[in-house]
Amino acid sequence: MALRSEQDFLTLIDRYFPPSGSPAGRQADLVRPEHVLLGRGDDCAVLRCPGQICMSADLFLEDVHFRRSYFLPEDVGYKALAVNVSDISAMGSRPLGFCLQLFGPSDVPQDWWEGLFAGMAGLADSLHLPLVGGDLSRGPNIGLALTVWGEAVEDGRFLSRQTARPGDHLFLVGEVGLARVGLMALENAGRQACRDLPRATSAHLRPVLHVEQAMHLGKLDFVRGLMDVSDGLAMDLPRFLPSGLGADLDPQAVDIDPEVVDYATRLSEDPLLFALAGGEDYALLGVAAPEASGELTRAVPDARVIGRVVERPGLFLAGRPAQIAGFDHFTG
Ligand SMILES: Nc1ncnc2c1ncn2[C@@H]1O[C@H](COP(=O)(O)OP(=O)(O)OP(=O)(O)O)[C@@H](O)[C@H]1O
Ligand SMILES: Cc1ncc(C[n+]2csc(CCOP(=O)(O)O)c2C)c(N)n1
Ligand SMILES: [Mg+2]
């Protein structure tokens, strides 16, 4: 059965994201309970924020970012929030809360929406994130637009882009290439692909976040900058580096999952080039002072140095120029 009114929607949202003061009280028992002075239900939320917050918004749209044919509603709810939180982690920051704008056709069954809210609330709870507001509308298909914000783990220290210097070490937390394999396999075979390629499909449907590692990186003064890789490492690297600088990657240092190696090989593609073009990895790409790489990997064992910053613009693999395309919404 479909939801009949906006009020039905809001009642459902309250069930999965109990407002402050309710017996379930999740919203009231936050890591920073003083953060939300007025939650959902009024014209605006009222927040008490630290001196500086970082804020980001990301769309998650049916048939652009996900398909109902192979995403469970729980996966849609999880991933819509996860890709937003990933941008807060990309600043080396702690996520604090979020707003949810959503639209969809009136005939989507209530069960489907319940699945979406359950998947989203599961992640929000695990990160103690309050949902402080949003908006609803009918629309031609399903779409979500979230806004998230976070605070620096050390006063005013947000890890930005364009901070690399020649000779710095580039490092990754997380995998590249797996989510691309997952997308291609799901597009070809639907959920059947989950059996053959469990890691790749899971990387696409439920990307792993690096929230703790990001907050740790935010405290290390030799980490100069950070971003999350959403359009493919090759595409995102030039956005990360100041103009005039390039990246020389060590092909042996980039871990490629066997599922990526097999899939790319079957397509007669080079697994490394395939992985560097992969979108929706949500790995963290960072840059650190070269003398501190030992300290970096001791402090954040998941961080792996994959190359260094060079004074020639472009992407190089062991010194050789490489041309690799990534994802662009308008290039097709
Ligand atoms: N419609 C818009 N209006 C204003 N600024 C925008 C708009 N779309 C994007 N931006 C800004 O452009 C920059 C790049 O946006 P983009 O969405 O590509 O971020 P990203 O982190 O590189 O990728 P992702 O979307 O995966 O998070 C961001 O600073 C973003 O705030
Ligand atoms: C049905 C379907 N077709 C294509 C893709 C691939 N895709 C969509 S958005 C994106 C980059 C990150 O998004 P954004 O830049 O909007 O943050 C990628 C790689 C998909 N996930 N589903
Ligand atoms: Mg980003």
Side-chain angles (χ1 to χ4, degrees), residues 200-211:
T201 48
S202 170
H204 184 71
L205 298 168
R206 285 194 171 239
V208 172
L209 290 175
H210 311 286
V211 175

Side-chain angles (χ1 to χ4, degrees), residues 13 17 40 55-62 64-66 76-85 87 97-104 112-113 116-117 120 130-137 139 141-149:
I13 291 175
F17 298 91
R40 294 197 309 282
M55 183 179 276
S56 172
D58 242 338
L59 292 164
F60 198 62
L61 305 178
E62 183 170 16
V64 176
H65 298 89
F66 71 91
V76 175
Y78 171 94
K79 188 167 175 179
L81 178 56
V83 301
N84 274 274
V85 169
D87 276 313
F98 69 109
C99 278
L100 169 65
Q101 288 68 243
L102 89 87
F103 57 82
W112 197 92
W113 291 114
L116 180 145
F117 294 132
M120 187 174 286
L131 171 61
V132 309
D135 196 18
L136 291 168
S137 170
N141 54 13
I142 293 172
L144 298 93
L146 280 75
T147 305
V148 283
W149 54 94

Side-chain angles (χ1 to χ4, degrees), residues 171-175 210 213 217 282-286 300 302-304:
F171 64 88
L172 263 189
V173 176
E175 305 246 3
H210 311 286
Q213 294 92 328
L217 292 168
Y282 301 104
L284 298 174
L285 168 67
V300 182
D302 293 338
R304 295 174 323 276

Side-chain angles (χ1 to χ4, degrees), residues 58 63-67 70 183 187 204 230-231 279-280 282 327 329:
D58 242 338
D63 297 332
V64 176
H65 298 89
F66 71 91
R67 286 197 206 280
Y70 55 74
L183 170 65
E187 284 283 307
H204 184 71
S230 53
D231 290 336
E280 298 173 282
Y282 301 104
F327 180 85
H329 278 290

Side-chain angles (χ1 to χ4, degrees), residues 213-332:
Q213 294 92 328
M215 293 197 303
H216 209 136
L217 292 168
K219 290 188 208 150
L220 302 175
D221 57 4
F222 52 82
V223 173
R224 292 203 230 276
L226 200 64
M227 82 176 286
D228 67 328
V229 180
S230 53
D231 290 336
L233 187 60
M235 183 77 133
D236 282 335
L237 260 169
R239 297 171 174 157
F240 184 55
L241 299 176
S243 68
L245 299 187
D248 188 12
L249 303 186
D250 172 1
Q252 314 299 323
V254 184
D255 282 340
I256 313 276
D257 189 282
E259 287 187 7
V260 178
V261 175
D262 286 354
Y263 201 86
T265 308
R266 268 190 276 137
L267 296 175
S268 310
E269 287 200 38
D270 178 88
L272 176 63
L273 302 185
F274 181 97
L276 296 180
E280 298 173 282
D281 298 307
Y282 301 104
L284 298 174
L285 168 67
V287 74
E291 63 279 7
S293 340
E295 226 177 308
L296 168 70
T297 43
R298 268 194 302 281
V300 182
D302 293 338
R304 295 174 323 276
V305 173
I306 57 161
R308 62 196 183 90
V309 178
V310 293
E311 271 178 286
R312 274 164 75 196
L315 175 61
F316 304 88
L317 297 175
R320 290 226 175 104
Q323 293 282 346
I324 306 166
F327 180 85
D328 184 292
H329 278 290
F330 298 101
T331 308

